[in-house]
Structure formats: C-alpha cells, structure tokens
Amino acid sequence: MRKIKELGEFGLIHQLSSRLKFRAPDSILGIGDDCAVYPVKSGMKEVISTDALVEGVHFKLSTTTPEALGRKALSVSLSDIAAMGGTPKRVLVTLGIPENFSVSFLDKLYSGFNTICNRFKVELAGGDTVSSPKCFFINVSVIGEANRVFTRQGAKPGDLIFVTGTLGDSSLGLKLLNRTKKDGSNDYKFLTEKHLDPTARVHEAGILARSKINITSMIDISDGLVQDLYHICKASKVGARIYEDQLPRSPEFARTCKKRSIPPLPLILNGGEDYELLFTLPADGAKNLNRQFLKAEVLVTQIGEIALKPRKVLLKMKDGAQNILSDSEGFNHF
Ligand code: ADP
Ligand code: MG
C-alpha cells in the first residue's frame, strides 16, 4: 500500500472518498468543490452539530478496529441529531493525521463511515484533511432536518421519564477492555461492542417524531444517565425521581457484574456512552408510546417521573431508601 506522502493530500482524499457509496438523491454538489451544495426543504428545520474524537482521550488504537472507529465516530454525531428528533442527512469529516500514519487504516476507517452512511442514508459530503503533530483525531459535523424539534427544556412536573435500550453496557465494556484479558465469551463480545460500536437511535427518534406523542424533552445519554437527566432538569427547571428496580439492564450486563463482582449501579447511573434516548412525556402518552415501540426492535422503559421540587435527581432504592444523586459523577473532560 502506498504511503500518505506518496499519495499527497488530494490523492489521499480521492482514495478515501472513493470508499463512500451513498450519495443523497437531492445533492447538487458533494466532495470535490469548495463547498457541498444541496437544496433546503421549506417548512423543515435544519439541525446541526459537531463532535470530535481524539486518540488517547476517546479511543485507543490498540483496542478498536478502524472500521468500528469509523462507525462510532459517525454514530456519536448522528446520536445528537436523533436526540433532537431530527433525521441526519449529511456529514463533514475532518481528519488530523500524524506523520507516517497508515493509509490502510484510513481506508478501513472510511469503510466504517460508508457502513453508517448507507445504513442511515447519510451523505459524507466533504471535510478537511490536516496533519497532526502527535495524535490522530476525527471531527464529524452533522446536518439533519426536523419537523418537530425536541429540546432539553420543557419537562413538566408529573411527566414520565423514559429511556430506550439498556444502561451501563458501554461503560462495563470499556472496563473489560481496559483491565481484563480478552475472553471469548458472548457476554464479553456484546459489552465491548456496545462500547466500540454503539448504535445511534436514529430510527427510534424517527418513531417519536412521527408519532403524535407530546415529547416534552429529550437528550441522548452520552455522559451518563444522571448527568444527562440533570441537563433536562436544569433546562426545564424541575427535579426527577428514578427507581433502582426500573433501570433497564441487559442480561449480559447483569451476568458479567455478578461474575466479576462489579457493582452495577455506578455503571448504570454514571457510565456514559450508552447513546440511548432519554425523554419525558405526560402520563397520558405512555400507552401510545408503548404501542409505537412494539414495532421497533428496541426496548423502551419508564424509569421515573418529573417533580417540581426538589430540583435534584432522586434515586428510590429497592429497600425504600431515597438518595439524592450528584450531578458531577458522570463523564467530564476537565
Ligand atoms: P479547500 O482547500 O477548499 O479547503 P480541500 O482541499 O481541503 O479544500 O478539500 C477538497 C475537497 O475534498 C473538498 O470538497 C472537501 O470537502 C473534501 N475533503 C477534504 N478532506 C476530506 C475528508 N477527510 N473526507 C472527505 N472529504 C474531504
Ligand atoms: Mg481544506
């Protein structure tokens, strides 16, 4: 395989973008000019966001594959669009590449990009390619469209709190990657894949957006359930109560915590990177929600309710005790 130096910046961009097979039907210009160009749909709102992944901070080259890294880099950005109830349409990707980095790694990374672009009908419409003195990094900007927009603000006292999927799998997977020898079990595979290759809940966000359900607030769980629930509470000026025995966990998670004597609750509450949707709705919408999700393959679980006071997140334990949870246990970069 040729080296980056031999390909040059434009040769590299050409080679990588030839991996990308999905082109949005309404695109006017994609990769190759100074800008990508597409028409704007009248009556729709545009939703945009950006996310960076830095080697050594967000991933280690020793524990992931380039394909999975490509899929994850796009998924975490698509998850932000899903969290607003939007449909992702286009992404722009900036790569920071250290000297002597492997072209074959980048090829496989783009093959991971291509998988997600095809799966969610998202066009990779451009980007930038720069050298980076030490670490490899990826920045993904995403543009989507929305009819109804769900924000963090709007949760009302009495609303029910729901979450998609299961909690804690990703952080337990990370723990396994960091501290144990690889093991061949299905549980190990399931949990580490939840960390290395999360699924953005784009389809589930679509179900919510198309339904008549009055979603009063929504966020995706990237920093941990409690920290992200606090984001909703602060924006909505309310508090929340959640129930220990209602927090959804996968059988793989439960078995592994038991087998390795790992306390499950901190992972469920503060683990982060689950990329599940956390949202609220008035109690009379619950039936409709469950009906809508019967068709989806993803679980949706009521984990608690919104209260006017105190403006805290309270955890009701199985034994009846009630704890005030801290808003600073989840992931924080600084
Ligand atoms: P400019 O000099 O105008 O910034 P570039 O030379 O950086 O343009 O990029 C040329 C074209 O290739 C542009 O259309 C840009 O969007 C695209 N591009 C650059 N880097 C990437 C990348 N890593 N992935 C996909 N497209 C890229
Ligand atoms: Mg450029």
Side-chain angles (χ1 to χ4, degrees):
M1 173 115 10
R2 292 174 68 188
K3 294 217 160 78
I4 295 183
K5 261 212 163 74
E6 293 162 25
L7 283 168
E9 182 185 335
F10 302 108
L12 179 67
I13 294 170
H14 180 76
Q15 173 163 330
L16 296 180
S17 49
S18 71
R19 297 251 150 214
L20 305 165
K21 307 296 177 206
F22 182 75
R23 187 103 202 266
D26 63 344
S27 270
I28 298 169
L29 272 178
I31 291 172
D33 213 306
D34 292 315
C35 288
V37 183
Y38 61 93
V40 182
K41 273 195 206 133
S42 73
M44 295 296 271
K45 297 170 191 79
E46 295 220 309
V47 280
I48 62 176
S49 178
T50 192
D51 265 300
L53 297 182
V54 177
E55 178 191 346
V57 179
H58 300 92
F59 60 91
K60 285 186 192 160
L61 295 176
S62 59
T63 55
T64 188
T65 64
E67 288 90 347
L69 182 62
R71 293 193 297 268
K72 180 166 180 172
L74 287 205
S75 297
V76 304
S77 291
L78 300 195
S79 179
D80 281 325
I81 301 293
M84 305 300 289
T87 307
K89 290 291 177 186
R90 285 174 176 82
V91 290
L92 300 169
V93 171
T94 294
L95 301 181
I97 310 172
E99 218 181 330
N100 295 324
F101 206 73
S102 130
V103 175
S104 127
F105 182 98
L106 297 174
D107 258 329
K108 291 173 187 157
L109 182 83
Y110 269 64
S111 152
F113 288 165
N114 184 52
T115 303
I116 298 299
C117 287
N118 274 325
R119 187 179 302 160
F120 294 109
K121 305 287 169 254
V122 168
E123 178 171 335
L124 200 162
D128 203 14
T129 307
V130 297
S131 64
S132 169
K134 267 215 176 89
C135 293
F136 178 58
F137 70 81
I138 308 169
N139 181 259
V140 180
S141 298
V142 55
I143 303 165
E145 59 185 34
N147 193 356
R148 291 205 280 161
V149 170
F150 306 135
T151 67
R152 300 173 181 192
Q153 188 191 333
K156 300 270 180 320
D159 282 357
L160 306 181
I161 306 168
F162 285 86
V163 67
T164 58
T166 53
L167 300 171
D169 297 331
S170 171
S171 54
L172 182 54
L174 176 62
K175 231 183 200 349
L176 296 180
L177 285 170
N178 281 342
R179 74 170 200 196
T180 57
K181 281 189 285 216
K182 208 169 172 173
D183 91 38
S185 71
N186 285 336
D187 289 355
Y188 182 95
K189 185 166 181 286
F190 173 87
L191 294 165
T192 53
E193 276 178 10
K194 289 280 289 246
H195 180 73
L196 295 173
D197 198 359
T199 304
R201 295 303 186 197
V202 172
H203 295 315
E204 295 69 21
I207 293 176
L208 296 176
R210 286 188 302 273
S211 76
K212 300 249 154 58
I213 303 166
N214 176 21
I215 306 293
T216 49
S217 69
M218 185 147 89
I219 192 168
D220 65 325
I221 303 181
S222 51
D223 298 332
L225 169 66
V226 176
Q227 208 177 100
D228 288 318
L229 186 51
Y230 262 107
H231 288 317
I232 286 184
C233 288
K234 282 176 187 157
S236 302
K237 301 192 169 68
V238 293
R241 190 184 299 118
I242 55 177
Y243 298 89
E244 183 193 12
D245 57 0
Q246 291 179 25
L247 300 173
R249 47 203 99 183
S250 66
E252 292 85 351
F253 175 89
R255 274 195 299 267
T256 304
C257 284
K258 203 162 174 207
K259 193 170 116 195
R260 297 177 189 259
S261 305
I262 298 170
L265 207 49
L267 296 175
I268 293 173
L269 295 174
N270 305 314
E273 292 213 274
D274 285 314
Y275 298 106
E276 297 296 346
L277 297 174
L278 175 69
F279 55 97
T280 58
L281 48 128
D284 62 9
K287 245 196 186 150
N288 190 5
L289 177 77
N290 288 319
R291 198 175 330 116
Q292 301 285 340
F293 268 77
L294 274 183
K295 294 171 250 165
E297 277 162 25
V298 172
L299 197 69
V300 66
T301 311
Q302 189 201 326
I303 61 166
E305 66 263 332
I306 298 292
L308 187 59
K309 280 193 173 145
R311 281 198 199 167
K312 299 277 178 198
V313 175
L314 305 177
L315 177 67
K316 194 106 190 240
M317 306 295 289
K318 270 184 248 172
D319 63 10
Q322 189 159 271
N323 297 325
I324 298 177
L325 299 173
S326 155
D327 61 351
S328 56
E329 301 269 317
F331 188 77
N332 188 316
H333 273 274
F334 300 101

